[in-house]
Amino acid sequence: MTLYIEEEGTGSLPFDVKETAELIVETVLDCEECPYEAEVNLLLTDDEAIREMNREHRHIDRATDVLSFPMLEYETPGDLSGIEESADAFDPETGELMLGDIVISKDRVIAQAEEYGHSVRREYAFLIAHSMLHLLGYDHMEEEERWLMEDRQRKIMEKAGILR
């Protein structure tokens, strides 16, 4: 698994962001039984930059906690069967499955951790788990999808040992 992390903007998070991100990405890939080595890009930014991205990509003019940019489309969430038929799904240099990009607002991580009454690390880990599921085709627009995604998130966080 390759995780590329870039950090921009002001402020930083009070723990090892790389170690926690690697733990969660690996846990998601294990829980989803991904048979491939995977590649994920993670950008840590601030409210101002994520607001601009949210406005540009989703036409919503406000800061958000996390944005997900999947590289692949799935008929069924998490179903990687047949993905080998898509030549551009794999990095030609490394052979890794390119899942996509995650963008997280450090400002939102800190604010939401305080709002929800848990650690900043727990909020950060949760947002990565949530976004990784989006990169694997999960969504939460319909009630049934939301239940499935919430169940997966809970199991991932439990397996990673990062609890409320």
Side-chain angles (χ1 to χ4, degrees):
M1 185 264 308
T2 302
L3 176 64
Y4 297 104
I5 300 178
E6 184 179 339
E7 191 165 352
E8 64 180 25
T10 58
S12 62
L13 299 175
F15 54 87
D16 186 332
V17 295
K18 183 174 194 247
E19 178 183 301
T20 300
E22 287 174 343
L23 170 64
I24 297 302
V25 170
E26 285 287 355
T27 302
V28 170
L29 294 173
D30 287 348
C31 287
E32 292 299 307
E33 299 178 359
C34 178
Y36 308 105
E37 289 297 313
E39 178 180 304
V40 175
N41 299 304
L42 172 61
L43 172 62
L44 303 176
T45 192
D46 56 25
D47 274 355
E48 183 179 329
I50 207 166
R51 178 181 181 171
E52 186 176 313
M53 286 181 220
N54 203 22
R55 182 175 48 241
E56 179 182 333
H57 295 283
R58 299 177 60 222
H59 309 290
I60 299 172
D61 189 14
R62 65 174 168 78
T64 188
D65 50 6
V66 63
L67 292 170
S68 308
F69 299 98
M71 294 288 290
L72 307 168
E73 291 185 24
Y74 304 85
E75 281 190 38
T76 304
D79 182 5
L80 293 166
S81 64
I83 207 79
E84 290 179 16
E85 297 166 13
S86 177
D88 53 343
F90 295 89
D91 184 315
E93 293 181 21
T94 65
E96 291 181 314
L97 180 64
M98 296 183 297
L99 291 177
D101 303 330
I102 299 170
V103 181
I104 292 178
S105 167
K106 296 176 284 185
D107 298 328
R108 296 286 86 220
V109 169
I110 293 166
Q112 288 176 183
E114 185 175 318
E115 179 183 338
Y116 300 138
H118 52 241
S119 73
V120 174
R121 180 174 181 254
R122 194 266 177 209
E123 184 65 18
Y124 172 75
F126 175 81
L127 292 175
I128 292 172
H130 180 87
S131 190
M132 280 294 296
L133 289 172
H134 280 308
L135 297 186
L136 289 166
Y138 290 89
D139 209 345
H140 46 79
M141 299 304 287
E142 304 293 329
E143 188 71 16
E144 188 175 313
E145 293 172 332
R146 184 178 65 79
W147 283 101
L148 177 62
M149 199 163 168
E150 287 177 0
D151 183 59
R152 290 275 202 281
Q153 290 167 165
R154 182 184 48 75
K155 289 177 180 171
I156 291 161
M157 296 300 287
E158 286 174 0
K159 185 171 183 176
I162 301 177
L163 309 174
R164 287 185 177 252

